Amino acid sequence: MTVGALVLAGLTLANLQACTEFRRSPAAPVATAAAGPATPERAAVIAQVNRARAAAGLPELAVDGLLERVGNAHCGIQVEEGTIGHFSRSGVPPYLRYLLAGGHGFHRENAATYSSSAAVPDGALDAILAHSVASMLAEIPPDDGHRRALLDPDVTHIGVGLAVRGGEVRMTQELATEAAVTWSPPPAVVRPRSAVALGGTLARPWRPAAAQVLWGPLPRPLSTARANAIRAYGYPPPRVTLAANQLPDLPGGAGGQRTAGPAAPFAVDRFGNFTLKWATGSGEGVEIAIVLATRGAGTQLIPVAAAATVVTASGTLPPELAFWRALAAPAPTAGGGAR
């Protein structure tokens, strides 16, 4: 999609401009979270993925400790619950777990499960994980979603989530495109009809070109059977799409002018610094803001940064979402079977 193809949808821009005070956190340099002591099993998975990327002429993925923490927590919950795949019984989707924990990239997840009535023998875990990664890389189109995620040229970071208990193994590959070098996120939770904002700067050669605000309902609890039946997931649909420096519709037909200035909901200056301002909806839900960018002289829009704002009547996070928000502060690895 090119910038010229962008259309406005779902949100009245006049409402955006009527808001006078937008809430966001102070701008700060982005630092990739340091990973904890890498187990040999995690290191082997990452090395296997990076060998496949090198063979495809792609850059290797850097390890991100936040991605690892989020994956570890999800895998540990699944081992406890007996769930598999991308969801636990809380119903919180993968991208929201990562964003609430403080992630700022465009996230995707691969998940794998091994289950046996006998405990995993010492030394067997490496082979189990290697077989899982090899199976993903051997997928054939059109059923090759795991392979495409691992070999996505725009992905920059990886974290391997892992939990083992008895004969149960859960493993995730948490993947993200992280292009922001400074990042000022919106509040994690607000009330309906709140004015919020985010801002930042992208690493070169990325150029911010457009932004979207997506909306989805608050996560709902799932039965074990329902959680285990979900094989794929996606981001919620957009409710507004904005080109950089695109003004709202004005009386007299002046809408759509590409003129920089504070009136543009997605404003980008000549140095590449950007600010996105919007008003949350009238009801409860989850709003995901995504920054799309072009690379160099290219015209393809790539999602490279994202943030989540939860909208609740009370202005507080439900417990199942507050759990993931607590992961934003690094903490020692918990017990309960995580390895």
Side-chain angles (χ1 to χ4, degrees):
M1 178 190 292
T2 62
V3 175
L6 292 173
V7 294
L8 306 181
L11 187 63
T12 303
L13 295 183
N15 291 340
L16 291 173
Q17 299 309 305
C19 301
T20 58
E21 182 180 355
F22 289 84
R23 298 169 56 190
R24 65 172 175 173
S25 303
V30 168
T32 299
T39 65
E41 295 88 358
R42 286 192 185 87
V45 169
I46 294 168
Q48 187 177 2
V49 171
N50 278 332
R51 285 195 300 271
R53 289 180 64 88
L58 301 172
E60 71 175 26
L61 302 179
V63 178
D64 185 323
L66 176 62
L67 290 168
E68 182 179 301
R69 288 201 305 274
V70 171
N72 280 344
H74 174 63
C75 290
I77 290 169
Q78 288 203 316
V79 165
E80 293 281 352
E81 292 182 343
T83 48
I84 62 174
H86 298 293
F87 287 83
S88 66
R89 292 201 296 257
S90 70
V92 182
Y95 58 83
L96 186 54
R97 300 193 293 261
Y98 164 72
L99 294 175
L100 284 176
H104 57 81
F106 186 75
H107 177 269
R108 59 280 262 169
E109 176 188 81
N110 286 340
T113 299
Y114 173 88
S115 185
S116 172
S117 58
V120 175
D122 290 342
L125 185 58
D126 269 341
I128 291 170
L129 300 180
H131 175 75
S132 175
V133 176
S135 297
M136 292 178 180
L137 292 169
E139 291 174 344
I140 299 173
D143 299 320
D144 62 338
H146 300 99
R147 177 181 177 275
R148 285 185 286 112
L150 294 175
L151 300 183
D152 187 329
D154 300 314
V155 170
T156 58
H157 289 75
I158 186 172
V160 175
L162 183 62
V164 182
R165 175 165 295 181
E168 298 296 321
V169 179
R170 303 293 185 272
M171 187 261 287
T172 63
Q173 298 144 6
E174 308 288 336
L175 306 160
T177 302
E178 300 179 6
V181 293
T182 66
W183 185 247
S184 175
V189 59
V190 297
R191 289 184 170 88
R193 294 191 175 92
S194 293
V196 293
L198 64 78
T201 310
L202 301 182
R204 293 182 179 181
W206 293 106
R207 297 186 302 167
Q212 290 185 319
V213 178
L214 320 180
W215 183 90
L218 291 174
R220 294 183 177 180
L222 302 171
S223 68
T224 299
R226 176 58 183 148
N228 292 352
I230 300 174
R231 299 303 183 193
Y233 71 97
Y235 280 72
R239 67 182 183 94
V240 64
T241 299
L242 299 163
N245 298 323
Q246 180 176 359
L247 296 177
D249 289 337
L250 301 174
Q257 294 179 9
R258 302 286 174 84
T259 304
F266 183 52
V268 182
D269 68 19
R270 63 191 182 93
F271 302 107
N273 303 305
F274 59 85
T275 301
L276 172 63
K277 299 179 179 180
W278 79 99
T280 60
S282 59
E284 294 188 321
V286 177
E287 309 221 350
I288 307 293
I290 295 180
V291 176
L292 301 105
T294 57
R295 182 162 38 198
T299 59
Q300 183 180 8
L301 290 177
I302 307 295
V304 297
T309 292
V310 179
V311 182
T312 65
S314 66
T316 59
L317 287 171
E320 64 273 15
L321 299 184
F323 171 87
W324 298 102
R325 184 63 181 166
L327 292 185
T333 303
R339 293 173 59 170

